[in-house]
Amino acid sequence: MRIRAALAVTALAATTALTACSGDTSPLASATAMPQQNAVTAAPPAERPPAPACNPRASLRPAGALPTPGDMPAGSYMATIQKRGRLVLGTSQDTLLFSSRNPFTGQIEGFDVDMGRQIAEAIFGDATKIQIKVIGYDKRVSSAADGSVDIVADTMTANCDRWRDVNFSSIYYEAGQKVLVSKTSTAKSIDDLGGKKVCSAAGSTSFENIGKRPTKPIAVAKPAFGDCLVAFQRNEVDGISTDDTILAGMAAQDPYAKVIGQKFTDEPYAIAMSKAHPEFARFVNAVLERNRADGTWKKTYERWLGDFGTAPAPPTAQYDK
Ligand code: GLU
């Protein structure tokens, strides 16, 4: 898919598309229930001690060769998924290029969806045996942790705080936070937006990072980034700050927007899973290993992000468990 073809995925569509098509489940009650008129607030601080230091990139080592598709080891969580007949992927539907609804086909597609399809292929020998559940950003950790989805692939940063609740795969994409402003803005970076309203999704790492900038931009939380784009286009916020990947998709939809400055954070993306099934994390890591080695990762990059230049080398896997 080329970006131009995706322009029809407007911000408005992103917000009105909260009713998923048949076959999808949309547990978006939390997202839609968020009072948007009151959204210019910081979330209350989490009542939790800070996570101990860790290497968030280090995951569980694959255990040998991948089993034959359709013949998952007895007693494994992969066998449970095989028996069920579909892999359940939790993701967004308005993150252009990573997971967004194609207005022509009604299907949710993108880099993150392909990550899920590749795991389904490894389990079933059939990439279509996947059910997509649209989840809010603030439900990514809990949905993976409580098993309401098998995996979350949703521009999700692996960090030490989240590692307490979920297992992450090895890193499949290296992103970083930037900021999007109007083309008429003279700002050169987020630090020129002190006192200005900068939008981000509730439950995202970006939301917290905005508030930590020394010049104190005002962090505005919306249920999803599609809502941020609508707020930006209505002049309700001065900018949007999130991962460069997500901003690239937004800039492609808005000819009056530009992305400014350098990355000011590292956002290594990984697939989140329940801690109850470590063998499944090892399996997913084996799939990612194979896909890095056989060119599948590169093809996936070229398919979704090829407009931004040549594919870099895929992130190197790190393991410590
Ligand atoms: N990578 C981010 C996260 O996992 C999502 C994007 C953002 O923070 O804005 O929370």
Side-chain angles (χ1 to χ4, degrees):
M1 181 189 69
R2 297 286 76 122
I3 287 175
R4 208 162 288 288
L7 293 182
V9 184
T10 62
L12 194 58
T15 47
T16 53
L18 292 176
T19 308
C21 73
S22 69
D24 294 344
T25 313
S26 284
L28 280 171
S30 61
T32 48
M34 182 175 233
Q36 300 201 10
Q37 66 275 28
N38 296 331
V40 187
T41 55
E47 304 279 338
R48 207 179 188 197
C54 77
N55 174 4
R57 289 179 163 78
S59 183
L60 291 78
R61 193 173 297 280
L66 279 167
T68 307
D71 191 16
M72 294 297 109
S76 68
Y77 190 63
M78 296 79 82
T80 304
I81 296 170
Q82 187 188 330
K83 194 164 170 218
R84 185 200 299 137
R86 64 193 190 285
L87 173 77
V88 183
L89 162 69
T91 194
S92 303
Q93 65 175 352
D94 63 350
T95 308
L96 191 63
L97 307 176
F98 277 77
S99 51
S100 70
R101 194 176 292 283
N102 179 321
F104 301 108
T105 64
Q107 299 299 307
I108 297 176
E109 61 181 26
F111 196 107
D112 280 336
V113 175
D114 279 2
M115 292 292 116
R117 289 169 60 85
Q118 289 158 16
I119 295 162
E121 169 80 44
I123 295 173
F124 299 102
D126 181 349
T128 67
K129 295 207 166 181
I130 189 164
Q131 177 192 0
I132 296 180
K133 279 193 180 181
V134 175
I135 56 174
Y137 261 43
D138 58 344
K139 294 288 179 285
R140 291 174 298 174
V141 171
S142 59
S143 301
D146 69 14
S148 48
V149 300
D150 297 317
I151 58 171
V152 172
D154 193 12
T155 61
M156 185 170 185
T157 300
N159 61 31
C160 298
D161 184 43
R162 292 171 175 170
W163 261 108
R164 288 190 283 188
D165 299 309
V166 296
N167 279 337
F168 279 111
S169 70
S170 59
I171 304 305
Y172 67 84
Y173 192 89
E174 293 281 359
Q177 189 169 348
K178 291 191 178 181
V179 67
L180 174 146
V181 292
S182 159
K183 273 199 175 146
T184 57
S185 170
T186 55
K188 297 275 180 264
S189 82
I190 187 156
D191 293 326
D192 294 329
L193 297 176
K196 306 275 191 201
K197 292 176 191 163
V198 178
C199 192
S200 201
S204 68
T205 50
S206 305
F207 178 74
E208 294 162 28
N209 294 335
I210 294 167
K212 290 181 194 157
R213 299 310 297 174
T215 60
K216 303 263 177 271
I218 301 166
V220 176
K222 295 283 185 186
F225 280 108
D227 304 300
C228 280
L229 190 51
V230 172
F232 175 75
Q233 291 171 339
R234 288 179 178 157
N235 271 331
E236 291 167 12
V237 297
D238 302 287
I240 303 171
S241 186
T242 177
D243 301 345
D244 50 354
T245 45
I246 301 170
L247 293 179
M250 289 191 199
Q253 296 173 71
D254 187 339
Y256 302 104
K258 64 181 177 186
V259 179
I260 54 169
Q262 299 299 311
K263 288 181 191 177
F264 57 91
T265 64
D266 288 328
E267 306 292 334
Y269 291 170
I271 296 167
M273 292 155 277
S274 165
K275 280 193 174 295
H277 317 295
E279 77 283 9
F280 184 46
R282 296 186 197 283
F283 173 85
V284 166
N285 282 338
V287 176
L288 294 178
E289 281 280 0
R290 186 195 59 193
N291 292 351
R292 285 184 197 99
D294 72 4
T296 302
W297 187 92
K298 183 166 182 272
K299 278 195 202 120
T300 310
Y301 185 99
E302 286 166 349
R303 180 173 184 209
W304 298 108
L305 304 168
D307 283 351
F308 302 108
T310 318
T316 305
Q318 298 181 36
Y319 305 113
D320 67 353
K321 300 163 192 73

